[in-house]
Amino acid sequence: MARVKAAVLISGRGSNLKALIDACAAPGFPAEIALVLSNRAEAAGLDYARAAGIAHVVIDHRQFPDREAFDAAIGAAVEAAGAQLICLAGFMRLLGPVFTEQWRDRILNIHPSLLPAFRGLDTHARVLAAGVRFTGCTVHFVRPAMDDGPIIVQAAVPVQPDDDEQRLAQRVLSVEHRIFPLALGWAASGRLRVDGNHVIVDGCQEPEGVFINPAA
Ligand code: GRF
């Protein structure tokens, strides 16, 4: 069966990109990565694309007069690669409403919190400051507002009393690396249907859409 082509957009380290590359290497996985796109030439994650022999491109947002022009260049590159899905894996630019509407329900983003709590940057520091007992990560379809859109899958991770930002980030990250491939696999096999704010995962009951990992 032909695999669905995905583009992965990054800005930095690329550990989630690596998790997606590894997942796509498994026989029978329904997606393949056709393009890795970074807005920063120095993004370390580009090395994962190089090592895996995946086409990669740098599109520097600073070269464009405005967001729409940058978004259009991204769209052109993604379409030229034949991608039908876009994964935002630590991509630090907001995509505008024209682009997100054009790619509605075909852009997946990962965020290291249980959305809609703790949208935005410095997530783990704010989680610790708030004293919450659980945090986690979320993969969701993208809407124009930051870290907004219908939730595909979440994983809960307990906050330990002795956690600092780095420890907590690492523990959440290891779970991110599990749920992003899961969500991409569902999307690529056409199992996701969006109904308002809700994402229905076809072929399974609601609990499979909530992936809890208390041992993480
Ligand atoms: C991850 O924590 C992701 O949830 C967030 O940015 C970070 C990217 O990390 N959106 P990496 O580049 O995938 O290692």
Side-chain angles (χ1 to χ4, degrees):
M1 201 182 79
R3 299 195 294 161
V4 172
K5 291 187 164 84
V8 183
L9 276 50
I10 65 169
S11 297
R13 177 179 56 184
S15 70
N16 277 289
L17 164 65
K18 175 71 165 67
L20 295 174
I21 291 172
D22 290 348
C24 289
F29 193 78
E32 64 180 306
I33 300 173
L35 180 70
V36 172
L37 188 157
S38 173
N39 66 309
R40 293 177 59 239
E42 64 276 24
L46 286 169
D47 287 340
Y48 292 123
R50 290 186 191 103
I54 296 171
H56 49 281
V57 63
V58 174
I59 299 182
D60 186 339
H61 57 281
R62 294 169 303 186
Q63 308 293 321
F64 296 86
D66 52 33
R67 175 176 296 160
E68 286 66 36
F70 175 58
D71 289 357
I74 291 176
V78 167
E79 277 169 26
Q84 292 161 262
L85 292 169
I86 298 175
C87 295
L88 306 183
F91 183 65
M92 303 303 282
R93 307 301 304 173
L94 265 186
L95 297 164
V98 172
F99 188 89
T100 54
E101 189 53 41
Q102 190 183 351
W103 285 85
R104 190 180 178 85
D105 301 337
R106 294 189 295 152
I107 312 173
L108 289 70
N109 180 50
I110 187 150
H111 182 73
S113 77
L114 291 174
L115 291 174
F118 303 105
R119 290 183 165 122
L121 299 175
D122 299 322
T123 318
H124 302 298
R126 290 184 290 123
V127 160
L128 291 170
V132 296
R133 299 301 203 258
F134 282 90
T135 182
C137 47
T138 303
V139 180
H140 64 97
F141 284 123
V142 168
R143 298 291 181 263
M146 190 192 303
D147 300 323
D148 184 41
I151 290 168
I152 300 168
V153 60
Q154 292 188 304
V157 173
V159 179
Q160 306 291 1
D162 58 346
D163 269 343
D164 59 20
E165 217 179 313
Q166 205 184 352
R167 269 175 57 106
L168 182 58
Q170 193 50 50
R171 194 156 355 96
V172 172
L173 196 63
S174 68
V175 187
E176 292 183 43
H177 297 162
R178 293 164 62 183
I179 66 168
F180 211 175
L182 187 65
L184 175 59
W186 287 342
S189 52
R191 291 179 64 187
L192 301 181
R193 185 166 58 81
V194 181
D195 181 11
N197 273 334
H198 295 256
V199 177
I200 295 108
V201 185
D202 286 338
C204 64
Q205 299 298 309
E206 183 63 21
E208 199 187 328
V210 182
F211 177 80
I212 308 271
N213 179 32

